[in-house]
Structure formats: C-alpha cells, structure tokens
Amino acid sequence: MTSDWKLRAKVFIQRFWQPTSACMTCMPGSWGNLMSAAHWTLALQTGLVTAILALLLTFTPAARLFRNRWGNALVVGLLTMFGDAFSHADHYGTRWVEPVLTGLVSGLLALAGSYVFEDRARRLRAAWARVRGKRVS
C-alpha cells in the first residue's frame, strides 16, 4: 500500500471516531442516552460525513494540513462542524451552537490524540509501564 493510501486510510478512520465521540459527548442528554440507537445513529452519521469530507480533502493540496497537529485539529474541527450541521438539526435551539461545540470537542480530541498516539503511542506505553511498576527508559 502506498504512503498516500495509508495516510488516506488513517485519515478516514481517525476522522470517523473523533467526530462520532464528540457528537456523543455534545448532544443534550448524551450520557443518559448512551445506549439509544437514535443517538448513536446521529453520532455515526456525523462521523461518517466528516470522514468522507476529510477523505475528499486528501486529494487536494490541503492534505498537507493533516501532517501538522495544529492544522489537523483545525481541519477536523471545521469538518466536524459541517458534518454535524449536515447530519441533524441542532438540539440546543440555535442553528450553530451544537455544531460549533461538537467541532470544538472534535478538534480537541484530534489534538490530544496527536500527543498521546504519536511515535507508536510512546507516551501511552510509558504511562502503562509506570502503572505496572516497570522502569521506563
């Protein structure tokens, strides 16, 4: 698999779970409706729309933004806003409150993920080793 297609697969997967998680967090009653099929359907729609938009973006010169953690977080946040606005009506009463909030959370998840999972999840492995009482090199 070429590096371009590996990047596209990675972008699609990441841009699917981050908006889905953000949407599950930002919808009113999220924690109370965690097992609701309707709630999951809306969140998965948001994730899918965002992932498709991100995948399409990889065919443009803007794909280089995905290689920079701050550019990536900005693009993910903006795409999630549009994906959320397209997927369903706002639950807060004002048209753009929920999409902006969902986009912000998704961008923050992307930024946090870039720190936690970089270098084959080096920070995560080091933290797990400390928890288990092993020496970290």
Side-chain angles (χ1 to χ4, degrees):
M1 188 181 265
T2 67
S3 63
D4 285 344
W5 284 102
K6 284 182 184 178
L7 174 67
R8 286 184 177 111
K10 180 180 173 183
V11 164
F12 184 83
I13 291 167
Q14 288 176 342
R15 296 320 154 258
F16 183 74
W17 78 262
Q18 289 162 341
T20 301
S21 302
C23 194
M24 284 300 293
T25 303
C26 294
M27 261 193 266
S30 292
W31 300 109
N33 294 327
L34 197 57
M35 301 310 276
S36 164
H39 197 82
W40 273 100
T41 301
L42 291 177
L44 291 171
Q45 276 180 320
T46 299
L48 186 61
V49 169
T50 304
I52 289 170
L53 290 173
L55 183 63
L56 291 174
L57 202 57
T58 64
F59 291 100
T60 69
R64 62 187 164 85
L65 291 171
F66 289 118
R67 298 184 194 277
N68 175 295
R69 73 178 52 171
W70 292 96
N72 178 48
L74 177 66
V75 169
V76 169
L78 291 172
L79 291 178
T80 301
M81 276 183 7
F82 290 114
D84 191 74
F86 179 78
S87 296
H88 59 86
D90 190 290
H91 292 101
Y92 290 109
T94 307
R95 178 71 183 130
W96 288 99
V97 171
E98 186 177 353
V100 168
L101 185 60
T102 303
L104 182 65
V105 171
S106 185
L108 290 173
L109 283 173
L111 191 60
S114 74
Y115 283 101
V116 172
F117 297 118
E118 76 181 345
D119 192 23
R120 296 186 335 252
R122 175 183 50 86
R123 288 183 174 101
L124 203 55
R125 288 183 286 121
W128 182 247
R130 281 192 298 274
V131 167
R132 293 179 48 208
K134 294 190 177 187
R135 185 174 180 183
V136 179
S137 55

